[in-house]
Amino acid sequence: MTVREVTREAYREGVPALTVSAVGGLLAGVVLGGMRAEFRAVPGLLVLVPALLAMRGNVYGSLGARVATGLHQGLVSPQVREADPRLYRAIAAAITNGLLASTFAAVAGFAALSALGGDAAPLSRLVAIAVLSAALSGVVLSVTVVAVVFAGYRRGYNPDALVGPIVTTAGDIFGVAFLFLAVRVVLLAGGVG
């Protein structure tokens, strides 16, 4: 391939994914901007947002990379089959990692705020919000990652070029949306709200 052909191929694969990423980031920002009441109701939540969103992109980006590698090596078929234990184990590991990392982020955020004399909601509330949002977004992100990687692969795209922008964007959109939902659910369950 010539340099021109390689460049054309890179743009063909990258521009649509980056466009979706830009639009998705704006949507996530709009939802985040509308969460002022939730940030006031749960002191310390704003400190967790960057950690939770970054973690979603990292954990599910890793899942996408594993699935893409499995496709390239012929270990995973580009369709969801009933008996594909590699795919299901990778998804289970990603969701478990997401839950553990979210719990750690909530505990670390609470500890940092407490040590610095900052205002923080009770630890149980922060952990409940982090875990609930991680569980909800984990399921949706797992489906999204597998669907995008498989669809791109079947259409001749390099799934590695799709994983980064699509997963981080989906992580931001679903992460913020489910964070909002988790705050509402936890506050209602706790009689605050």
Side-chain angles (χ1 to χ4, degrees), residues 45 47-57 101-103 105-106 129-130 133 179:
L45 181 62
V47 172
L48 296 181
V49 170
L52 294 177
L53 292 182
M55 181 273 310
R56 306 259 192 282
S102 293
T103 302
I129 290 168
S133 69
L179 182 64

Side-chain angles (χ1 to χ4, degrees), residues 26-180:
L26 291 172
L27 290 174
V30 168
V31 173
L32 195 59
M35 289 181 61
R36 288 184 185 95
E38 286 73 20
F39 290 132
R40 281 190 291 276
V42 184
L45 181 62
L46 187 59
V47 172
L48 296 181
V49 170
L52 294 177
L53 292 182
M55 181 273 310
R56 306 259 192 282
N58 292 334
V59 168
Y60 295 96
S62 176
L63 171 64
R66 279 192 183 109
V67 174
T69 298
L71 287 170
H72 289 308
Q73 293 178 341
L75 300 173
V76 175
S77 173
Q79 58 192 353
V80 178
R81 294 180 304 176
E82 236 178 85
D84 194 348
R86 286 184 182 100
L87 179 62
Y88 295 123
R89 282 195 300 262
I91 290 170
I95 291 173
T96 302
N97 287 338
L99 291 169
L100 292 172
S102 293
T103 302
F104 176 78
V107 171
F110 179 82
L113 284 169
S114 297
L116 297 171
D119 192 21
L123 177 60
S124 60
R125 187 173 299 156
L126 290 175
V127 169
I129 290 168
V131 168
L132 181 58
S133 69
L136 294 171
S137 61
V139 171
V140 173
L141 283 172
S142 295
V143 171
T144 302
V145 166
V146 171
V148 166
V149 170
F150 283 2
Y153 185 81
R154 285 193 303 259
R155 288 187 173 90
Y157 288 93
N158 180 356
D160 293 317
L162 299 174
V163 168
I166 298 297
V167 171
T168 55
T169 300
D172 288 348
I173 292 170
F174 293 123
V176 169
F178 287 125
L179 182 64
F180 176 76

